[in-house]
Every structure is written in structure tokens, then in C-alpha cells.
Amino acid sequence: MAEHEKQVGIELYSKLREKMKDSFSSEDMAVIDKAFNVANEAHGNQLRKSGEPYIIHPIAVAEILFDELGMDMPSISAALLHDVVEDTNYTIEEINGLFGSEIALLVDGVTKINRMQISSKEEQQAESLRKMFIATAKDVRVMLLKLADRLHNMRTLSSLPHDKQIYISNETLSIY
């Protein structure tokens, strides 16, 4: 990945940080900054299907949670970290050690939802999955984080092949 592409993520995060700095204490901002730095390092040279640096996705999810839902520091931090366990060598235990149990719980909850496989498009199964998500989420913020994740993915569907766009759109309509 070119230096310019790495700079894109840093610039996007800087803009988000500027918006957040008056809403959070310096201690909270230090945790959010640490989450960004871990995610940015962990995602390294990963690219999205669009060819953009992967880090733009967690930043966008964090921005949705902050701008549109006014979420708290653990939620914003978890948004930045939400794909680290699933897509990199980090473990949930390492996230817990670095950020504590509250942020680790949120990251782990989203990771578990992401790993669920949908094998049928039947309405009854979709309803069962909805109930399971709600019943198994130990914190409603997990669901809000997952919905923000899905929202950003829906906003960026154009970079995927048409058949994948249709599949993801139908899955979103059925489950989310």
C-alpha cells in the first residue's frame, strides 16, 4: 500500500477526532486514539474490495455511532476495533488486555454475529436470528455497532459484483 493510501486513514480519523474531542474527556480520547492506532496497525495493508485502505471502514462505523447515535467511548473504541479479531492476528484476550472487558465484550459480540452463517432466506429463520441476536447480546451496544457496520457496508456496496450486491441486500432486508 502506498504511503498516500495510509495517509487517507490518518486524515479520516483526524477529522473524526476533531469532531469528538469536545464530547469526550482527554482520558476517553486517549483510549479512542489507542483503539485507532491498534486497528490501523492491525489492518496494515488490507484493502477493501473498492481498493481503499481497510481502515476507512472501522472509522466510518465509529463516525456513524458518534454522529448519528451519540454513542459513548467504549462503543466508538469497539467500532474502531470491530474487525481486528476477525480479520487480523489479534485475539479477544489481547483486546481485553489492552482495552478492558467492556470494550472486549462489544468487539467479541460483533465478531460472533459476523461469524453466524445464514443458510436460508426463509422469513421464519430471519425472525429466529433476530431473536437470537437480541437474546445473546449482553449489551445493546453490540447490536447498534453491528447495525452501524451493516449500514456502512450497504453504503459501499457499489464496489462489489452485482450478484454479491443482491445477496447482501436481501440478507440485510431479511435479518437487519
Side-chain angles (χ1 to χ4, degrees):
M1 180 184 313
E3 190 59 37
H4 167 73
E5 289 157 332
K6 287 183 179 184
Q7 193 62 31
V8 169
I10 293 168
E11 289 173 12
L12 283 175
Y13 178 69
S14 294
K15 289 177 185 176
L16 174 59
R17 189 184 195 291
E18 187 63 29
K19 288 194 281 187
M20 293 188 301
K21 71 178 183 169
D22 293 333
S23 298
F24 295 111
S25 69
S26 59
E27 293 83 9
D28 284 352
M29 284 306 303
V31 174
I32 294 168
D33 288 342
K34 182 178 175 182
F36 168 73
N37 289 327
V38 167
N40 195 35
E41 177 270 319
H43 288 298
N45 294 331
Q46 289 178 327
L47 299 175
R48 290 179 54 85
K49 297 281 189 208
S50 64
E52 297 169 304
Y54 191 86
I55 193 66
I56 68 164
H57 172 65
I59 294 169
V61 173
E63 189 167 27
I64 290 166
L65 291 177
F66 178 74
D67 285 346
E68 299 178 36
L69 297 174
M71 298 297 289
D72 59 2
M73 177 277 290
S75 301
I76 303 301
S77 299
L80 291 167
L81 296 164
H82 81 273
D83 283 332
V84 166
V85 172
E86 186 174 2
D87 295 344
T88 75
N89 293 327
Y90 274 88
T91 65
I92 199 61
E93 292 77 22
E94 289 172 311
I95 297 300
N96 187 49
L98 289 168
F99 296 97
S101 60
E102 184 177 12
I103 292 171
L105 173 82
L106 298 174
V107 172
D108 192 41
V110 173
T111 300
K112 287 178 179 172
I113 291 171
N114 288 345
R115 289 182 178 156
M116 289 183 183
Q117 296 295 314
I118 292 43
S119 60
S120 170
K121 295 180 185 177
E122 300 294 325
E123 189 61 33
Q124 185 176 16
Q125 184 181 9
E127 184 60 29
S128 296
L129 284 170
R130 281 187 207 104
K131 290 177 183 175
M132 182 173 52
F133 290 164
I134 292 168
T136 59
K138 294 180 181 171
D139 192 318
V140 70
R141 294 175 295 178
V142 171
M143 293 308 298
L144 295 173
L145 205 163
K146 181 58 192 168
L147 290 171
D149 175 40
R150 181 53 66 126
L151 176 59
H152 183 252
N153 284 333
M154 291 299 295
R155 288 177 175 170
T156 58
L157 271 182
S158 63
S159 61
L160 297 177
H162 185 70
D163 60 328
K164 188 87 166 165
Q165 291 177 23
I166 291 171
Y167 177 81
I168 292 171
S169 297
N170 285 331
E171 180 183 70
T172 300
L173 283 170
S174 296
I175 296 170
Y176 301 99

